[in-house]
Amino acid sequence: MYKIFGAPTGLGALLIKRSSVPFLSTSRRFFGGGTVAGLVYDRQWQSFRHDIESRMEDGTVSFQDIVSLHHALDAHARNYGSINRVSVHVNSVTRYAEHTVGALRHSNGLPLCRVYGHTEGSDYGPTLAFNVQDAQGRCVGYVEVERVAVMAGIAIRAGRFCNPGASQKWLGLDADKIIEYTSLGFICGDDHDLVNGMPLGALRISFGAMTSKTDIDLFCSFLARHFKDYLLFASMCTASTDKKTSVGVAPEFTGHGYGLTSKCSSQTLAASPTQIFSRPGSGDATDQDTLRVEIDQVVIYPVKSCHGWVVPKEMDWAVTRFGLRFDRSFIVMRENSTIPMQQKRYPNMALIRTRIDVERLVLVLEFPDLQPLEVSLLPENLALQGIESRVCGDAMKVSRILSDEISAWLSSALSVSCYLACDPRLLWASADPENDELADSSSDTMPFSGSDND
């Protein structure tokens, strides 16, 4: 019922043909309280109740929701009239959204959104599924769009919507690809949204009795404001099944007081100037056809999935071979688990604020009603124990920080037994970026980055 009214949740109804009742009577192997007329404990025998309602309702019914349903029906009728009036309104809003979202364009004429399912003559409900495309026609990760929408106060669904058949059809995902991606760790409900540039899901907006055309206009304005003429960083926009993906030469950045310095080789940053800065519709860019980028703000996330820290504008901030200094140097792990905790499943991680004390080389963690916690950023000051982990689907070795104080603080903040882990290579490189070679590594990739940039 919450699909119609928004409340109560957990309440539904099952309609059964009387001619089908005998088949249901003999097919049940498990049952709960109130469904049987008699049973014995020392042999497999039970006698079900005769009326189908009692036979199929296991245990205590959701009586509070049943009482609430009466008020939900009354409120719906009082506010919106008949269900037929709602149907007419919702159909009108859906078609308006289909037209306005589909009409959004980049300056070069390419569509801003790729709409699924709304083909000529097709029958569809009050939803619109789509993906956002950049100015070169490449899909923007739906997780990225969803997070920007949340910050703008817009509720939107993202993923496959528990509809694998439609996802396979409209996204071009055949069974072999689904099986391959799942084996690589790209599973339903995670934050992997693109693999080799191909979307694994989509975005969906839904319409109801309370939805207005003004809502649609505001949503389209949001899409245009944030994604019109948007260009993806070619080598950072997607997860890949190819572990040897190469990258190009890093561009030169300038900013308001930011002195971004790089001690890494020219092969370790994001992408070539052509890939990043080419003007929409201008074709292949040349050195004379590039844009100057001015950085307004630098935000790093010392602990993956926790709140970021804004680098002061008067402070120079180095770029190591792994990326921005101290960015994603730590992860939070549950006890007896090898997978890092994510904000999507543990929302309180967003309330853990991080701060870098550059002079003392200390990470400061803050959480409401808890005393601030300090963690050294020097590996030699930490008691470390090597463990196996899986980060973004990849097996890798990290180091658990053996500190009862740190583990207790995180467990109290997140209400689950957990601990802090790190990759010492990142800390070595960030603590002394002038001598980046201290990070003895066979790989220059950022261990805790991946596509779940939450």
Side-chain angles (χ1 to χ4, degrees):
M1 292 298 170
Y2 83 97
K3 291 288 188 180
I4 302 174
F5 305 120
T9 60
L11 186 65
L14 176 65
L15 302 179
I16 305 172
K17 283 186 177 181
R18 294 190 182 278
S19 59
S20 301
V21 170
F23 299 99
L24 295 173
S25 301
T26 58
S27 62
R28 298 200 73 191
R29 295 187 178 183
F30 304 95
F31 50 87
T35 61
V36 295
L39 75 161
V40 295
Y41 80 92
D42 56 353
R43 69 179 67 176
Q44 190 172 344
W45 178 90
Q46 67 280 329
S47 176
F48 289 103
R49 293 185 178 273
H50 293 293
D51 59 298
I52 189 64
E53 293 86 357
S54 298
R55 199 182 313 163
M56 300 299 293
E57 291 179 351
D58 297 85
T60 304
V61 296
S62 184
F63 59 89
Q64 289 184 322
D65 285 344
I66 293 173
V67 173
S68 300
L69 179 60
H70 168 74
H71 299 286
L73 290 167
D74 283 350
H76 192 273
R78 186 168 58 251
N79 291 324
Y80 306 116
S82 70
I83 198 68
N84 289 332
R85 290 180 59 187
V86 173
S87 176
V88 171
H89 169 74
V90 167
N91 285 335
S92 174
V93 170
T94 303
R95 294 186 183 278
Y96 180 73
E98 177 188 5
H99 171 76
T100 52
V101 172
L104 293 172
R105 291 287 186 274
H106 294 286
S107 296
N108 59 10
L110 289 178
L112 182 66
C113 297
R114 183 185 303 173
V115 179
Y116 303 109
H118 287 237
T119 56
E120 188 67 29
S122 62
D123 186 19
Y124 45 81
T127 62
L128 188 72
F130 64 97
N131 268 311
V132 173
Q133 301 181 131
D134 79 347
Q136 293 184 358
R138 300 169 299 191
C139 273
V140 180
Y142 53 83
V143 172
E144 177 182 351
V145 179
E146 179 193 27
R147 286 175 179 150
V148 176
V150 168
M151 290 188 288
I154 296 174
I156 187 171
R157 286 292 306 275
R160 300 181 198 168
F161 321 122
C162 301
N163 194 339
S167 298
Q168 283 189 236
K169 174 181 178 180
W170 294 107
L171 299 176
L173 299 170
D174 59 35
D176 290 337
K177 286 180 181 176
I178 294 290
I179 295 171
E180 177 192 0
Y181 294 161
T182 302
S183 69
L184 293 173
F186 306 130
I187 61 175
C188 292
D190 67 9
D191 290 334
H192 293 107
D193 47 17
L194 296 173
V195 176
N196 295 328
M198 177 180 291
L200 298 180
L203 298 156
R204 188 182 74 188
I205 49 177
S206 304
F207 316 108
M210 68 295 297
T211 308
S212 67
K213 291 184 177 180
T214 301
D215 295 329
I216 307 302
D217 292 337
L218 289 173
F219 181 69
C220 289
S221 296
F222 157 77
L223 290 176
R225 181 170 65 254
H226 290 280
F227 297 101
K228 183 178 179 180
D229 297 335
Y230 181 76
L231 279 173
L232 291 170
F233 285 67
S235 59
M236 295 180 68
C237 64
T238 176
S240 175
T241 57
D242 179 7
K243 302 304 180 184
K244 297 181 180 179
T245 302
S246 61
V247 295
V249 180
E252 179 179 350
F253 294 96
T254 62
H256 294 306
Y258 286 118
L260 287 182
T261 59
S262 173
K263 299 299 179 183
C264 54
S265 71
S266 63
Q267 291 297 312
T268 59
L269 288 182
S272 70
T274 299
Q275 292 169 316
I276 297 177
F277 302 117
S278 56
R279 293 188 177 93
S282 64
D284 293 334
T286 65
D287 291 340
Q288 289 75 32
D289 188 31
T290 58
L291 299 179
R292 185 176 180 82
V293 173
E294 189 175 73
I295 296 176
D296 180 69
Q297 188 179 72
V298 173
V299 183
I300 65 170
Y301 297 83
V303 183
K304 188 180 186 303
S305 295
C306 294
H307 201 284
W309 177 62
V310 179
V311 179
K313 289 188 175 181
E314 67 277 5
M315 184 180 295
D316 288 349
W317 203 254
V319 180
T320 74
R321 71 176 67 190
F322 300 109
L324 288 169
R325 187 185 185 198
F326 291 122
D327 187 47
R328 275 165 256 261
S329 297
F330 299 89
I331 52 176
V332 183
M333 308 273 286
R334 283 197 64 169
E335 287 288 354
N336 304 316
S337 174
T338 62
I339 302 175
M341 295 171 62
Q342 296 180 352
Q343 189 184 116
K344 183 176 182 180
R345 291 179 176 83
Y346 303 95
N348 272 2
M349 295 185 77
L351 300 179
I352 297 179
R353 292 185 171 271
T354 58
R355 175 167 52 87
I356 300 293
D357 188 327
V358 180
E359 297 296 327
R360 299 166 54 220
L361 285 180
V362 166
L363 168 67
V364 181
L365 303 180
E366 298 175 337
F367 189 84
D369 300 325
L370 292 182
Q371 290 295 319
L373 176 72
E374 292 190 353
V375 180
S376 175
L377 293 171
L378 296 173
E380 62 266 29
N381 293 340
L382 300 171
L384 303 176
Q385 178 187 53
I387 58 174
E388 297 287 339
S389 178
R390 294 195 67 85
V391 180
C392 301
D394 295 327
M396 62 179 300
K397 292 183 179 180
V398 297
S399 295
R400 174 174 180 164
I401 299 177
L402 301 175
S403 168
D404 292 339
E405 179 188 7
I406 296 175
S407 298
W409 192 93
L410 289 170
S411 300
S412 177
L414 302 177
S415 301
V416 63
S417 183
C418 57
Y419 60 90
L420 194 64
C422 67
D423 187 325
R425 299 173 303 165
L426 275 68
L427 295 182
W428 281 121
S430 296
D432 190 5
E434 295 291 335
N435 296 292
D436 198 0
E437 66 273 7
L438 287 176
D440 183 17
S441 170
S442 59
S443 170
D444 288 338
T445 57
M446 181 74 169
F448 301 152
S449 57
S451 61
D452 53 340
N453 189 17
D454 49 9

